[in-house]
Amino acid sequence: MSGSRHAPVLLWLALLAGICVAWSPRYWAVSVAITGISLVAVSWIVFSFGDLFRDEASRFALPLQTALVAPIGGWGFLQIACKGSVVPQLTLYSALVWGISAVAFILGAQLLRGRGARRLFLELLLWSLTALAVIAMLQYYDDPAMVFGIFQGPESVVGTFISRNQFAAMMEMAAPIALWFMLERNPLTGGLCYVMIVAATITAGSRAGFILVCAELVIFLTMVVVTRRREAKTLVLVFAGLALLVTAAATIAGTEALRKRFEDSDPYIIRRELVKSTSRLIAERPWFGHGMGTWSAIYPHVANFDVALIANEAHNDWAQWAAEGGIPFVILMAAFVMSIAVPAVRSIWGLGVLSVMAHSYVDYPIREPVLSFLWFALAGAVAVSSGARKRRADHAHVSDEESAL
């Protein structure tokens, strides 16, 4: 199945199904995402089992990052087994999500190993996420907010996500794919997709999302200027035109929410207090944490302020991971992100993987299970893309030597 053209389509469908129902606060929506990834994993195992008897074991070669992802995915189960969680029920739910995220990484590394499969997956993802971006902009005019113009969602819903920052995180992963498509495939189509994605990010009103999407563009343009000087001037002119289109689209869709959030004199005052309180949790159990998924249950006993609101997350995933999983878990995550940083930048389409991790310093984007699955699947594709690039370079080098002989 890893070499099948259907494999990337199945992975895309599983992720898209979870994304389309993420607006529901009920557990069945999470079950859709978990079931989708699980079915793809089972199908991959069943259809690939015969490869073991056809001397095709190389298809099962996993990237080195698997050594980091495996303990990350199993950390919550380890805490339960060692009775290290203060609320085992919450840790079990979180452990399941982290475990499926690790499975998504392996699926991304195996099913998207080939260049053709990777391109197909990225293109399907680009079309679908662009469509969701357009839907989110149209949703701006709904009162009350309607999902797909049919279902009444929570008041805070943006696109198919309850949180504007989670929607923005998805756009952060989508924008670099549009830039890659613009550079490698079709400038006009990729450019129009990018315009819709950026405009939707502005409409969502996420400060961090907007800043990170802009940062991705700066990195992209820098890479083009350095590596493709002949095309740089043309692309700069193209982006000048796109900037006008983004401005027009965002104006039509609405910039009021983002403008108001930037006018806030101290936007992170509550987040700072949450992180201060979380640091006290880290100090209590620094090595093994209180248990994955337990932050909301244990936070009240260290809270140093009250805003009359429920604090559901620390609004800083890195601090929360340290409180729940301990410092070793954060080291594993940091090492994993660092290990894929270079190939993510080189690929262009993988820049969003790094952006989401940067966003995690001020929010909790991958606390939404389907976003976690999407992030890990893209990270798996990034991890194997560097190996594929090296193999192509080695093959070209061998071919040159043979030609010389």
Side-chain angles (χ1 to χ4, degrees):
M1 182 179 174
S2 57
S4 169
R5 183 176 176 83
H6 301 297
V9 177
L10 291 175
L11 181 58
W12 165 72
L13 284 173
L15 292 168
L16 182 62
I19 290 170
C20 287
V21 298
W23 55 272
S24 174
R26 299 183 182 276
Y27 187 75
W28 69 264
V30 178
S31 299
V32 169
I34 291 175
T35 302
I37 295 296
S38 300
L39 288 175
V40 175
V42 170
S43 300
W44 170 65
I45 292 171
V46 170
F47 285 99
S48 300
F49 188 71
D51 292 346
L52 294 174
F53 303 97
R54 292 198 295 268
D55 193 28
E56 297 182 17
S58 61
R59 291 188 180 184
F60 294 89
L62 293 171
L64 295 175
Q65 288 86 352
T66 307
L68 297 170
V69 174
I72 288 172
W75 198 263
F77 294 110
L78 180 62
Q79 288 178 314
I80 294 172
C82 296
K83 297 183 179 180
S85 172
V86 296
V87 189
Q89 296 90 339
L90 294 177
T91 298
L92 180 61
Y93 166 74
S94 181
L96 178 60
V97 173
W98 281 103
I100 297 296
S101 296
V103 171
F105 172 83
I106 293 173
L107 290 175
Q110 293 300 306
L111 304 186
L112 308 180
R113 195 176 191 83
R115 192 176 184 182
R118 207 158 48 241
R119 280 191 170 184
L120 176 60
F121 176 79
L122 291 173
E123 288 176 12
L124 289 171
L125 196 60
L126 176 60
W127 308 141
S128 54
L129 297 189
T130 301
L132 290 173
V134 174
I135 289 171
M137 288 189 287
L138 295 175
Q139 192 182 68
Y140 182 78
Y141 295 100
D142 290 336
D143 188 20
M146 303 294 288
V147 181
F148 301 117
I150 302 173
F151 309 103
Q152 183 174 342
E155 185 179 349
S156 62
V157 71
V158 178
T160 58
F161 290 94
I162 296 175
S163 165
R164 62 161 60 91
N165 285 298
Q166 289 172 345
F167 175 80
M170 185 175 70
M171 294 295 100
E172 290 161 25
M173 289 186 272
I177 300 175
L179 294 173
W180 162 80
F181 192 87
M182 182 178 175
L183 186 64
E184 300 290 344
R185 306 291 280 175
N186 188 307
L188 179 59
T189 305
L192 290 175
C193 289
Y194 184 76
V195 166
M196 295 297 104
I197 290 167
V198 175
T201 305
I202 294 172
T203 303
S206 169
R207 290 169 300 221
F210 176 71
I211 291 170
L212 288 167
V213 167
C214 291
E216 290 171 346
L217 178 59
V218 171
I219 294 171
F220 170 75
L221 290 175
T222 301
M223 290 181 62
V224 170
V225 170
V226 172
T227 62
R228 305 193 182 195
R229 294 183 180 180
R230 294 181 180 179
E231 303 174 36
K233 184 176 180 180
T234 301
L235 283 172
V236 168
L237 292 174
V238 169
F239 272 103
L242 289 178
L244 295 175
L245 290 175
V246 168
T247 302
T251 301
I252 295 172
T255 60
E256 183 179 356
L258 183 63
R259 188 175 64 252
K260 284 184 177 180
R261 289 175 68 80
F262 272 115
E263 289 173 354
D264 192 338
S265 59
D266 193 356
Y268 297 107
I269 182 171
I270 295 178
R271 284 176 168 85
R272 279 199 302 272
E273 295 302 322
L274 290 172
V275 171
K276 285 180 183 178
S277 299
T278 302
S279 66
R280 295 172 63 186
L281 292 175
I282 298 170
E284 289 178 356
R285 302 182 72 170
W287 301 115
F288 208 43
H290 293 78
M292 304 303 292
T294 61
W295 187 91
S296 60
I298 59 177
Y299 163 77
H301 89 272
V302 295
N304 56 11
F305 78 114
D306 184 7
V307 291
L309 296 172
I310 296 175
N312 58 337
E313 309 287 354
H315 289 266
N316 182 321
D317 264 343
W318 292 92
Q320 188 165 333
W321 290 334
E324 294 180 344
I327 294 172
F329 182 83
V330 173
I331 292 174
L332 284 172
M333 278 298 297
F336 175 46
V337 173
M338 289 173 63
S339 72
I340 60 174
V342 173
V345 173
R346 286 178 177 171
S347 70
I348 295 175
W349 52 264
L351 279 170
V353 172
L354 303 181
S355 294
V356 171
M357 284 297 101
H359 197 158
S360 295
Y361 277 103
V362 294
D363 227 297
Y364 49 98
I366 64 172
R367 293 280 163 175
E368 170 58 46
V370 73
L371 280 181
S372 180
F373 303 158
L374 175 59
W375 187 89
F376 274 92
L378 283 173
V382 166
V384 295
S385 69
S386 59
R389 190 180 296 108
K390 185 178 184 299
R391 286 193 297 271
R392 288 196 300 271
D394 291 343
H395 178 72
H397 180 67
V398 171
S399 299
D400 290 343
E401 288 183 346
E402 289 177 349
S403 298
L405 292 173

